[in-house]
């Protein structure tokens, strides 16, 4: 059982849906990002997705691309991202952290060294968007063996033929991408999402968390109502990019969390 598994078990007993947030490590700088991340649990966040800055984030829209650029320009690295997790764990040993990013920085670090360092820092799971299931031997299976969840993305174009392949080595939860295209591009619609979530649930017992296109408390509530929870990323990153204070960003996140937790 990982912290992710424990969190979903707790939420189930409480009759609540999960609220997950994405923030970019090191955006706009290390200290500000750490202040935001440390404040997430008190703002109602159940699981933290921490973005790993990368120079070529092909799945990300302009908002998160710019966040990655700001972080890189401020000197953020994989090593500093792991240090941020260690700093967070000094105060919080229960909130799950999922590292989300691309394979290149991990490969450059060395897979075995990365997995050892990530586990020791307190990371619970990985989302690596550019490693398909056909490459599971590269990172997915070693990560599972190291005690980390490997979370896979399913999309509106993941048909019934492809779905079993996507699910075969996935653990923790399934991240359903509610829209086609890049992050931040459109608004998610519960009516479109509900049948897709039901289709995936017919093939797995894992929780289904829906992200992309969730920007308001009402949207968080409506999307969480047809899934096991929801993710908000770009709407939060936009506020960080606009220079809002950590306290204001966290206040906004609290409204989103309240929306998701209202869902039944």
């Amino acid at each position: 059982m990982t912290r992710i598994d424990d969190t979903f078990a707790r939420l189930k007993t409480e009759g609540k849906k999960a609220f997950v947030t994405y923030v970019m490590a090191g955006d706009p700088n290390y200290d500000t990002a750490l202040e935001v991340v440390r404040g997430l649990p008190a703002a109602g966040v159940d699981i933290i997705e921490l973005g790993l800055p990368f120079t070529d984030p092909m799945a990300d829209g302009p908002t998160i691309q710019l966040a990655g650029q700001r972080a890189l320009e401020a000197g953020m690295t994989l090593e500093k991202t792991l240090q941020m997790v260690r700093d967070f764990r000094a105060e919080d040993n229960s909130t799950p952290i999922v590292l989300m990013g691309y394979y290149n920085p991990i490969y450059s670090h060395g897979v075995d060294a990365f997995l050892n360092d990530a586990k020791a820092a307190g990371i619970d799971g990985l989302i690596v968007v550019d490693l398909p299931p056909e490459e599971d031997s590269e990172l997915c299976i070693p990560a599972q063996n190291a005690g980390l969840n490997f979370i896979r993305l399913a999309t509106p174009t993941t048909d019934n033929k492809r779905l079993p392949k996507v699910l075969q080595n996935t653990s923790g939860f399934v991240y359903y991408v509610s829209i086609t295209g890049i992050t931040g591009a459109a608004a998610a619609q519960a009516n479109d999402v509900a049948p897709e979530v039901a289709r995936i649930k017919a093939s797995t017992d894992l929780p289904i968390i829906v992200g992309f296109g969730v920007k308001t408390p009402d949207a968080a509530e409506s999307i969480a109502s047809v899934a096991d929870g929801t993710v908000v990323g770009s709407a939060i990153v936009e506020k960080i990019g606009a220079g809002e204070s950590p306290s204001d960003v966290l206040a906004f996140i609290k409204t989103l969390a309240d929306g998701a937790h209202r869902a039944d």
Side-chain angles (χ1 to χ4, degrees), residues 15-194:
K16 292 170 65 177
K17 302 300 182 72
F19 180 62
V20 184
T21 55
Y22 172 96
V23 294
M24 180 67 73
D27 177 32
N29 55 61
Y30 188 96
D31 291 341
T32 302
L34 179 59
E35 185 176 350
V36 171
V37 172
R38 280 178 165 164
L40 293 174
V45 175
D46 299 303
I47 298 172
I48 298 166
E49 285 182 9
L50 189 63
L52 177 61
F54 181 50
T55 53
D56 188 23
M58 61 184 183
D60 296 321
T63 297
I64 292 178
Q65 285 189 25
L66 288 169
Q69 290 175 17
R70 290 191 297 268
L72 291 169
E73 288 168 3
M76 204 61 182
T77 62
L78 173 57
E79 290 79 7
K80 288 183 179 179
T81 300
L82 295 178
Q83 183 59 49
M84 181 171 288
V85 176
R86 287 191 286 269
D87 289 345
F88 175 86
R89 286 285 174 232
E91 299 180 0
D92 185 314
N93 198 39
S94 59
T95 305
I97 295 179
V98 175
L99 190 67
M100 185 171 186
Y102 298 82
Y103 185 46
N104 183 276
I106 295 169
Y107 179 80
S108 297
H109 191 84
V111 169
D112 290 342
F114 166 76
L115 292 174
N116 288 335
D117 293 345
K119 182 71 174 177
I123 288 172
D124 303 288
L126 304 174
I127 300 174
V128 182
V129 298
D130 56 346
L131 274 183
E134 287 75 14
E135 306 295 334
D136 274 358
S137 61
E138 286 281 332
L139 182 63
C140 173
I141 292 171
Q144 306 267 34
N145 291 338
L148 298 172
N149 290 129
F150 199 90
I151 294 138
R152 191 80 70 189
L153 275 63
T155 75
T157 60
T158 305
D159 61 20
N160 288 333
K161 182 178 179 181
R162 179 66 174 168
L163 185 60
K165 191 75 173 176
V166 169
L167 295 175
Q168 68 180 1
N169 289 315
T170 299
S171 65
F173 61 92
V174 177
Y175 187 138
Y176 179 69
V177 176
S178 64
I179 55 175
T180 55
I182 56 176
T183 58
Q189 302 295 328
N191 289 341
D192 298 330
V193 169

Side-chain angles (χ1 to χ4, degrees), residues 14 74 88 222 244:
E14 295 173 358
F88 175 86
S222 66
E244 294 195 17

